[in-house]
Amino acid sequence: MNVALPLGWAVLLPVLLLAVAWAAVAADVVVAGRAAGRPVPWTTAAALPGREALRLLVGQRRRAVAGDELLRGVGGAVLPIAALLAAAVLPLGLRPVADLGVGIVWFNAMEVFAWAAVWLVGWGANSTMSLIGGYRFVAQGLGWELPHMFALITAAIGAQSLRVSDVVAAQQGLWFVVIMPVAFVAFLLSVAAMAFWGPFGAPVGRDLAGGAAAELGGVDRLVVLTGRWLLLVAAAAMAVPLFLGGGHGPWLPAWAWVLVKTLAVLAALVGLRHRIPTIRMERWTEFSLVVLTPATIAQALVVTLVVLGEGGV
């Protein structure tokens, strides 16, 4: 049954994502200041995203010699678009903007566009540092995509549906994080990796002078940074309907619970960024293939056996 929100919510969705991303940026500034021993007032941190956006809007765009501006422009534009399209299946309360029967597949497909987007940004600049950063992201993706897919599959098996609203409905009595802890942890790690965030920031690392974003300036840099934050917010928000019961909870309305849970996940990811050093590509890939992927497969198998034992299909 289609329980999608009215079409007008499609216009409001980008505004909501930008507002949450703005709050996440401000929180990141505050945490970074405290970690460095230079506390930043919340009022200053709240104004920083706006000031930085204005600075980049009036800043000069960078042009590399013999760079492919079309590829770089397409890659930069695809990143925020993919994040917005992925968020279309997120329940804003108990109902999403697009209640697709294959919502989980749609979400994962939009994330795959991030691979192409970051790589195109790195390739199109015709710069060694940018190209290495782009390939780092592709290599990193090989490590997180398999655990990520198995985490999504585990939630879908538990609800016996690929529709995100059905996954939320299946958690009325018990949140999936209780019975799928391995899948939940794997999903959070993959969220940080797909947004090249915190310990997974090697694609835009300082050792590469900014990596994939090394040759970006002005509006181009603003678009990519906005896409990165939107991707982080959309992916973090997806943890709520998949594992944290969606809008289910006492006292508060469904939309408030979704907001509170999303902010809690983002707070954990922001804290992760400032407490764990950047992970080398080969170490992450080894851990993912040797430990994380088998663990998520085992988790999916256990959930499948439980569902079959209860008479599920």
Side-chain angles (χ1 to χ4, degrees), residues 68-98:
D68 193 323
E69 296 302 321
L70 177 61
L71 285 182
R72 190 168 70 163
V74 169
V78 164
L79 199 57
I81 292 174
L84 292 174
L85 291 176
V89 296
L90 290 174
L92 304 178
L94 299 176
R95 301 163 62 192
V97 172

Side-chain angles (χ1 to χ4, degrees), residues 253-272:
W255 66 265
W257 273 117
V258 169
L259 179 61
V260 168
K261 294 172 184 178
T262 299
L263 292 177
V265 174
L266 283 172
L269 293 173
V270 168
L272 178 74

Side-chain angles (χ1 to χ4, degrees), residues 93-282:
L94 299 176
R95 301 163 62 192
V97 172
D99 191 37
L100 303 181
V102 290
I104 291 179
V105 177
W106 170 271
F107 177 79
N108 191 54
M110 294 305 103
E111 291 172 335
V112 172
F113 278 111
W115 282 33
V118 177
W119 184 82
L120 286 176
V121 169
W123 175 272
N126 193 34
S127 165
T128 301
M129 297 300 185
S130 296
L131 183 59
I132 293 175
Y135 274 116
R136 276 186 177 182
F137 185 73
V138 173
Q140 185 169 272
L142 296 177
W144 62 257
E145 183 59 33
L146 282 176
H148 180 75
M149 286 194 299
F150 283 118
L152 294 175
I153 289 170
T154 303
I157 291 173
Q160 303 181 54
S161 175
L162 291 170
R163 190 186 299 272
V164 180
S165 57
D166 289 345
V167 177
V168 174
Q171 299 177 72
Q172 291 184 18
L174 184 66
W175 294 359
F176 281 173
V177 66
V178 177
I179 59 176
M180 307 174 187
V182 175
F184 177 65
V185 171
F187 183 83
L188 290 186
L189 289 175
S190 65
V191 166
M194 78 176 66
F196 38 105
W197 178 262
F200 305 101
V204 290
R206 294 181 179 179
D207 60 323
L208 293 178
E215 299 297 333
L216 295 177
V219 176
D220 296 329
R221 189 173 189 86
L222 176 61
V223 170
V224 171
L225 291 179
T226 301
R228 180 191 188 189
W229 278 99
L230 290 178
L231 187 64
L232 179 70
V233 171
M238 191 62 171
V240 175
L242 289 182
F243 300 102
L244 300 178
H248 295 301
W251 306 308
L252 299 177
W255 66 265
W257 273 117
V258 169
L259 179 61
V260 168
K261 294 172 184 178
T262 299
L263 292 177
V265 174
L266 283 172
L269 293 173
V270 168
L272 178 74
R273 181 184 188 184
H274 299 283
R275 285 168 174 79
I276 301 179
T278 302
I279 302 174
R280 292 172 59 91
M281 293 295 96
E282 68 273 17

